[in-house]
Amino acid sequence: FGRMKPVIVVHGGAGRIFKEREEGSRAGVVRAALRGYGILKQGGSALDAVEEAVRSMEDDPHFNAGCGSVLNEKGEVEMDAIIMDGKNLDSGAVSAVKCIANPIKLARLVMEKTKHMLLTDRGAHLFAQGMGIPETPGEKLITERSRDRWKKNLEPDSNPEEFQKDLGTVGAVAIDSEGNVACATSTGGLSNKLIGRVGDTACIGSGGYADNCSGAASTTGHGESIMKVVLARLILYHMEQGMTPEMAADTALDYMKTRVGGLGGVIVVNNSGEWAARFSTKQMSWATVKEDQLHYGIYAGERQTKSVDEALTSESEGF
């Protein structure tokens, strides 16, 4: 066993979380954090922990990733995901993938089974087939809510921007007992986006970045703004200059807001296990576990705390 106390932080997306979805979002990030921490606690890798946490949220229809993803202009689900290993800066990503339940699993396979870092659309689909990943019919990933929103956005007087506020990209960052960091991010993208639109999530340095020398970050929010400032890498740069995770996150989010008018949220862990969950939007669902304490929240300044044992008990009773 290494000397590091493992930490995991997850987010379920920055934006506006509608009242009726609050409970589900909270429960979903808590469940994901507990699952990831379970892996770390047994001496598992940061990479396995972030993949498991994100997979848990992809399977949860409350989030805009995997099942529950928003629909593009043609009413289809197209998803992006990335995973990165802070040990050697290896990364795997997929973009515009359809008909698979867990894009994050495919991203991990791109990282480990190919010499490449990003596979897109049809190529990603062929690779998934070659890896024996079962195909999930597109309809299985579509929730009633996503379809309703898509229809609303098609109306001539609709303003998709209004709905964009409730985004729900999911992500996780972790440090394991060996001191390795990792990040993972997954999303269905923007509602009613153009076919083939890829946002920040699949782009290394924007949707996520992990480097053992400084730490790991995963982002959420307005993808095009995040790409303009390469938000995840920017945060790590600030930490390299000696900032705490919280300061680095706030400084980068503030820059994105003033420079390009973009809002978003981030989760960060540094290489000594300090963490932050910060956002410039109205809300962001987040949860973290460190030293057997679970912390979570949705609103600015909100931080609820439970022991992991207590959380696992209420988890098995259905929150």
Side-chain angles (χ1 to χ4, degrees), residues 6 32 42 46 92 142 148 152 172 195 286 303:
Q42 291 158 9
I142 297 176
D148 289 350
K152 267 207 187 85
I195 289 180
W286 63 273
R303 181 159 159 188

Side-chain angles (χ1 to χ4, degrees), residues 92-103:
V94 292
S95 67
V97 295
K98 301 181 189 71
C99 302
I100 62 163
N102 297 111

Side-chain angles (χ1 to χ4, degrees), residues 43-246:
S45 71
L47 215 47
D48 286 343
V50 294
E51 182 187 356
E52 177 57 32
V54 165
R55 196 193 56 73
S56 158
M57 291 183 286
E58 285 177 340
D59 291 343
D60 184 331
H62 281 96
F63 302 108
N64 172 19
C67 176
S69 287
V70 298
L71 310 186
N72 67 14
E73 55 177 352
K74 285 280 187 285
E76 300 171 329
V77 165
E78 284 188 322
M79 301 165 291
D80 307 328
I82 194 168
I83 192 164
M84 187 166 181
D85 183 350
K87 199 175 356 189
N88 47 19
L89 306 188
D90 275 350
S91 178
V94 292
S95 67
V97 295
K98 301 181 189 71
C99 302
I100 62 163
N102 297 111
I104 199 64
K105 279 182 148 161
L106 191 56
R108 174 90 186 251
L109 287 169
V110 169
M111 176 172 86
E112 292 183 343
K113 306 287 184 197
T114 78
K115 291 194 175 78
H116 308 308
M117 286 171 85
L118 171 60
L119 290 181
T120 193
D121 199 355
R122 188 164 162 270
H125 179 73
L126 292 171
F127 175 66
Q129 280 180 329
M131 287 284 123
I133 289 189
E135 216 169 296
T136 304
E139 304 74 71
K140 273 237 163 78
L141 299 173
I142 297 176
T143 57
E144 214 170 310
R145 177 171 164 271
S146 298
R147 195 176 294 285
D148 289 350
R149 165 183 294 191
W150 173 71
K151 284 202 180 111
K152 267 207 187 85
N153 286 343
L154 289 178
E155 292 164 12
D157 55 351
S158 88
N159 174 12
E161 287 302 302
E162 245 329 282
F163 287 102
Q164 258 10 312
K165 311 248 157 55
D166 179 24
L167 283 176
T169 295
V170 306
V173 295
I175 186 165
D176 58 30
S177 55
E178 301 293 309
N180 292 314
V181 298
C183 69
T185 313
S186 181
T187 191
L190 288 179
S191 192
N192 297 62
K193 61 190 177 178
L194 293 181
I195 289 180
R197 177 265 187 187
V198 176
D200 65 294
T201 300
C203 300
I204 191 170
S206 293
Y209 202 80
D211 181 349
N212 283 4
C213 299
S214 44
S218 169
T219 67
T220 166
H222 184 246
E224 281 73 14
S225 299
I226 290 170
M227 291 158 96
K228 287 174 183 175
V229 303
V230 198
L231 186 61
R233 188 65 190 85
L234 182 60
I235 291 163
L236 294 198
Y237 165 78
H238 286 315
M239 295 200 304
E240 286 157 9
Q241 305 299 303
M243 284 189 193
T244 63
E246 190 161 303

